[in-house]
Amino acid sequence: MDELLNFMVETIHARNVALNDLETNFKIEWVEDDQFFREWQDDLPEISDYEKQRLDRVKASYRNLLKHPPLLENTVKMVVLSPFLDLASGFLSGSFSCYFRKICRNCGRR
């Protein structure tokens, strides 16, 4: 019994682990089963084949990000949020505008 207790446990931060490492070292698998977590999928409105294709591309892109960290906020916005906004029926159409503020470092210094 003592032999079973003599092992080293190493704690590492999640930010230092890639999904690809977990798949390789621990043989975990990505689940694509449509019946997984049914409570999140029941009673939803129908979407078109085009919307399904777009969502599948977003899902594949996000999965690729997970496999190759670091998972940076702006990258997630670009890969995931932007296509979702586009799918939201013209969210970025003429009635919506973005305004950006210039950031000036050392302004007024001579």
Side-chain angles (χ1 to χ4, degrees), residues 15-90:
R15 69 175 172 260
N16 297 330
V17 178
L19 181 59
N20 194 43
D21 296 334
L22 297 175
E23 289 175 340
T24 302
N25 296 328
F26 299 103
K27 308 299 183 228
I28 65 170
E29 297 178 5
W30 188 269
V31 176
E32 293 284 343
D33 183 4
D34 289 342
Q35 300 306 311
F36 201 67
F37 287 120
R38 285 300 320 163
E39 63 272 15
W40 293 359
Q41 302 174 39
D42 292 337
D43 301 321
L44 295 176
E46 268 311 300
I47 60 173
S48 69
D49 287 339
Y50 172 73
E51 290 169 323
K52 288 177 187 175
Q53 290 172 356
R54 295 278 312 267
L55 292 172
D56 285 342
R57 284 196 339 238
V58 170
K59 185 169 58 171
S61 296
Y62 182 68
R63 182 174 181 209
N64 186 54
L65 284 178
L66 289 176
K67 291 180 99 171
H68 304 284
L71 194 62
L72 303 174
E73 180 181 355
N74 286 334
T75 307
V76 172
K77 286 179 186 177
M78 192 169 45
V79 169
V80 178
L81 187 58
S82 179
F84 281 162
L85 292 175
D86 186 51
L87 277 174
S89 298

Side-chain angles (χ1 to χ4, degrees), residues 3-15:
E3 293 121 23
L4 292 176
L5 299 177
N6 291 329
F7 61 89
M8 296 287 292
V9 175
E10 180 184 0
T11 302
I12 56 176
H13 291 280
R15 69 175 172 260

